[in-house]
């Protein structure tokens, strides 16, 4: 079938549904993990930093689904763009899977688990900041310019903090990083993404 016969109005909902399925799996993973903690509170010792990253990931997933509505502005879809967006969603899902493993038998606590898996988790987190730049550019120069200088400062800072988090086990650093990330992300959403149009 000739791709020119498809309108943007037909293509975009199809792509958004596929992305939504992957994002839905991530949300399910997080909520199932939290439900397991509620059901078995004495199973494994909780770690506030781990729980804060769970909240951060849930916020990131909800925000991802919200801001990707901006993709309706793309007039020409290619398989490469489609594959990029699915890949982005898959990375977010993998981060969720890294927060709640299938089994905790090899770990003494959520702190032990989180610190031992930090290289994978923060490596993926660092990649999301790079992917976000590409995603923002996909939506057009006008969309990219909307974020101003703050975006160009915010992105490398959080990327650098993610890289540092890969290599350090310092509990204070990890606590401050997730607190700053949560506060900033909430502020970023409220200031720049409250209105979807």
């Amino acid at each position: 079938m000739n791709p020119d016969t498809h309108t943007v109005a037909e293509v975009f909902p199809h792509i958004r549904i596929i992305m939504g399925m992957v994002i839905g799996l991530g949300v399910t993973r997080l909520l199932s993990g939290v439900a397991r903690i509620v059901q078995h509170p004495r199973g494994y010792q909780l770690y506030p930093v781990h729980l804060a990253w769970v909240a951060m990931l849930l916020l990131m997933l909800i925000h991802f689904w919200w801001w990707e509505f901006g993709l309706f502005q793309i007039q020409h879809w290619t398989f490469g763009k489609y594959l990029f967006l699915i890949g982005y969603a898959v990375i977010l899902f993998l981060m969720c899977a890294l927060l709640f493993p299938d089994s905790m038998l090899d770990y003494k606590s959520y702190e032990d688990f989180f610190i031992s898996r930090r290289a994978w988790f923060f490596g993926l987190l660092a990649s999301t900041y790079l992917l976000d730049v590409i995603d923002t550019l996909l939506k057009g120069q006008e969309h990219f310019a909307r974020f101003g200088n703050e975006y160009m400062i915010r992105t490398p800072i959080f990327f650098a903090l993610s890289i540092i988090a890969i290599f350090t086990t310092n509990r204070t650093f990890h606590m401050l990083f997730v607190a700053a990330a949560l506060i900033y992300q909430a502020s970023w959403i409220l200031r720049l993404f409250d209105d979807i149009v």
Side-chain angles (χ1 to χ4, degrees), residues 94-196:
L94 290 175
M95 290 174 67
C96 296
L98 282 167
L99 286 176
F100 287 111
D102 292 328
S103 171
M104 287 283 292
L105 294 177
D106 296 332
Y107 307 98
K108 299 173 185 174
S109 65
Y110 280 101
E111 180 177 6
D112 178 41
F113 164 72
F114 183 76
I115 293 300
S116 70
R117 300 288 94 201
R118 73 185 186 283
W120 280 98
F121 180 80
F122 290 110
L124 289 173
L125 180 63
S127 73
T128 65
Y129 290 109
L130 299 179
L131 293 173
D132 184 64
V133 173
I134 299 169
D135 179 82
T136 305
L137 285 170
L138 274 177
K139 293 168 187 155
Q141 287 293 337
E142 186 179 329
H143 180 80
F144 190 88
R146 172 185 172 207
F147 303 126
N149 292 331
E150 180 183 356
Y151 186 71
M152 299 310 294
I153 295 168
R154 159 202 181 267
T155 304
I157 287 175
F158 277 102
F159 176 80
L161 289 171
S162 299
I163 298 300
I164 293 169
I166 291 173
F167 297 101
T168 184
T169 59
N170 184 290
R171 272 46 173 185
T172 303
F173 172 85
H174 282 282
M175 181 180 63
L176 293 175
F177 181 22
V178 72
L182 260 172
I183 292 167
Y184 185 84
Q185 185 74 2
S187 162
W188 178 253
I189 292 170
L190 290 174
R191 287 183 295 114
L192 295 171
F193 293 93
D194 189 49
D195 189 347
I196 202 167

Side-chain angles (χ1 to χ4, degrees), residues 5-22:
T5 61
H6 297 298
T7 66
V8 176
E10 293 172 320
V11 174
F12 177 61
H14 173 73
I15 292 170
R16 200 154 188 255
I17 286 168
I18 302 299
M19 285 193 314
M21 289 167 58
V22 180

Side-chain angles (χ1 to χ4, degrees), residues 29-50:
R29 186 78 177 217
L30 293 179
L31 296 181
S32 296
V34 171
R36 198 162 56 242
I37 288 172
V38 172
Q39 291 166 353
H40 307 285
R42 296 181 185 177
Y44 290 94
Q45 185 179 352
L46 300 180
Y47 181 41
V49 170
H50 170 262

